[in-house]
Amino acid sequence: VNLEDLAAEFRLRTSATIDRLEQLEKMGRLSGIFDDRGKYIYITAEEMADVAAWLKSKGRINRADLVAGCNRLIRLNPTAEDKAKLEAEALTAAADLEGES
């Protein structure tokens, strides 16, 4: 997701949005990475487990192999099921964060 678009959706500054995403990661509610193009790439628990298992089976690898493996294991375009799950998690996470404020 584009961080600026996400910030606009919640009427936040981009830096505040990044802080919220990092809070959600620390709480174990989200997992993902920030890329160098200003996007947050959500990684499901299943995808994270697949990447971890792949890394354990491969052992030591180079960066090119890591990128190729992650591109194969992580979906960059969410399915309809993924989108519904993300929306439900976003509502729950927003409610949790509102309660902490």
Side-chain angles (χ1 to χ4, degrees), residues 49-61 65-66 70 73:
D50 290 346
V51 170
W54 180 76
L55 286 170
K56 286 179 183 175
S57 72
K58 290 291 184 183
R60 191 175 185 138
I61 60 170
D65 290 340
L66 176 63
C70 288
L73 297 169

Side-chain angles (χ1 to χ4, degrees), residues 10 43 45 55-56 63-64 70 79 81 86-87 89 92 99 101:
F10 289 98
I43 302 173
L55 286 170
K56 286 179 183 175
R63 183 181 176 137
C70 288
T79 63
E81 181 182 332
L86 286 171
E87 287 178 21
E89 288 178 2
T92 302
S101 300

Side-chain angles (χ1 to χ4, degrees), residues 3-23:
L3 294 170
E4 289 179 358
D5 293 345
L6 184 61
E9 177 75 24
F10 289 98
R11 297 186 178 127
L12 297 169
R13 294 182 330 271
T14 302
S15 61
T17 302
I18 291 169
D19 291 342
R20 295 265 178 131
L21 287 169
E22 288 173 344
Q23 287 174 343

Side-chain angles (χ1 to χ4, degrees), residues 15-90:
S15 61
T17 302
I18 291 169
D19 291 342
R20 295 265 178 131
L21 287 169
E22 288 173 344
Q23 287 174 343
L24 291 168
E25 285 182 336
K26 287 178 185 173
M27 293 168 53
R29 303 296 302 263
L30 285 177
S31 60
I33 58 170
F34 295 95
D35 77 0
D36 58 352
R37 298 170 296 160
K39 294 184 178 186
Y40 181 79
I41 301 169
Y42 173 72
I43 302 173
T44 67
E46 295 85 15
E47 290 169 333
M48 189 71 77
D50 290 346
V51 170
W54 180 76
L55 286 170
K56 286 179 183 175
S57 72
K58 290 291 184 183
R60 191 175 185 138
I61 60 170
N62 62 39
R63 183 181 176 137
D65 290 340
L66 176 63
V67 170
C70 288
N71 284 340
R72 186 173 45 81
L73 297 169
I74 298 171
R75 292 185 309 270
L76 296 179
N77 296 313
T79 63
E81 181 182 332
D82 291 337
K83 288 179 184 179
K85 184 178 177 182
L86 286 171
E87 287 178 21
E89 288 178 2

